[in-house]
């Protein structure tokens, strides 16, 4: 008599697990002071064990350094030729919220107003998003235009993700990008 082989334990998707941990840490940081957040709380919110958080990120400081970085998000957000960047950026913000439940920019709206971590988050946002965008622009007032373009993106992100505007959500990322992209593009190409 032969016995059926024992099924192998389910393998965890490392990238999905890392994303869940980062999402949990971002959620907690938006609502609590960094000092009050434990790795246990992050792990519980992400549905993983605390040792797994340590395995992927090393320690709390390394995890929150990653949470407060916009580098990877900016890579995707700015990954289009300048003449079509406005539409791309709008679509990316909305599709990120729809597909991942995360906005690549919106967490800046929840930056603590006071304290070192709010300062770090704002400095990273400026360097990694607005300054990087400004460096791509030609013509006068590139810094101002970059900030205005990003402000427009944050606005549409708030309407989609926080206010949950039913018309914006029903329209979908492509239709909104077709309508709202030119508004953003007007700041990018004067």
């Amino acid at each position: 008599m032969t016995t059926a082989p024992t099924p192998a334990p389910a393998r965890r998707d490392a990238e999905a697990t890392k994303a869940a941990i980062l999402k949990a840490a971002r959620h907690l940081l938006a609502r609590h002071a960094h000092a009050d957040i434990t790795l246990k709380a992050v792990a519980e919110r992400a549905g993983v064990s605390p040792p797994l958080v340590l395995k992927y990120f090393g320690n709390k400081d390394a995890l929150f350094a990653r949470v407060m970085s916009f580098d990877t998000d900016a890579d995707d957000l700015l990954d289009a030729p300048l003449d079509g960047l406005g539409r791309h950026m709008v679509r990316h913000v909305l599709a990120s919220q729809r597909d991942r439940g995360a906005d690549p920019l919106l967490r800046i709206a929840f930056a603590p107003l006071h304290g070192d971590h709010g300062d770090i988050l704002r400095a990273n946002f400026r360097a990694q998003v607005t300054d990087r965008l400004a460096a791509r622009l030609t013509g006068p007032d590139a810094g101002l235009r970059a900030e205005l373009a990003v402000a427009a993106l944050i606005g549409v992100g708030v309407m989609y993700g926080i206010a949950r505007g039913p018309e914006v959500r029903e329209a979908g990322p492509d239709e909104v990008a077709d309508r709202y992209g030119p508004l953003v593009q007007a700041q990018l190409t004067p």
Side-chain angles (χ1 to χ4, degrees):
M1 179 165 144
T2 61
T3 60
T6 304
R11 301 197 85 211
R12 183 177 291 280
D13 179 345
E15 291 307 310
T17 300
K18 287 179 192 176
I21 292 167
L22 288 169
K23 183 177 180 181
R26 286 178 180 138
H27 174 87
L28 292 169
L29 188 62
R31 289 156 180 81
H32 306 284
H34 175 266
D36 296 337
I37 301 170
T38 65
L39 287 180
K40 181 180 179 199
V42 172
E44 285 175 1
R45 178 142 189 97
V48 301
S49 67
L52 198 56
V53 175
L54 292 173
K55 174 184 175 186
Y56 287 130
F57 295 98
N59 60 41
K60 181 178 169 180
D61 289 338
L63 170 62
F64 281 96
R66 182 88 174 269
V67 165
M68 290 190 264
S69 175
F70 292 88
D71 259 347
T72 303
D73 295 324
D75 288 345
D76 295 335
L77 182 72
L78 302 175
D79 186 25
L82 187 57
D83 63 351
L85 187 58
R87 184 188 188 288
H88 168 80
M89 291 167 74
V90 170
R91 189 186 187 298
H92 180 70
V93 163
L94 300 179
S96 294
Q97 285 196 34
R98 182 196 64 203
D99 299 341
R100 298 182 309 162
D103 185 313
L105 302 177
L106 201 52
R107 70 182 184 273
I108 192 63
F110 298 105
L113 294 178
H114 307 290
D116 293 343
H117 291 93
D119 293 341
I120 292 167
L121 194 63
R122 283 185 288 280
N124 286 349
F125 186 80
R126 278 190 299 276
Q128 297 165 357
V129 179
T130 56
D131 292 351
R132 189 169 158 197
L133 176 58
R136 288 191 61 190
L137 304 182
T138 59
D141 302 317
L144 174 61
R145 292 180 9 246
E147 287 182 5
L148 292 172
V150 171
L153 291 173
I154 291 171
V156 76
V158 166
M159 180 54 71
Y160 186 93
I162 295 174
R164 298 195 180 272
E167 301 297 326
V168 171
R169 293 177 75 84
E170 181 66 28
D174 286 314
E175 184 178 346
V176 175
D178 288 343
R179 291 172 175 256
Y180 202 76
L183 176 106
V184 176
Q185 191 67 39
Q187 297 302 322
L188 303 178
T189 50

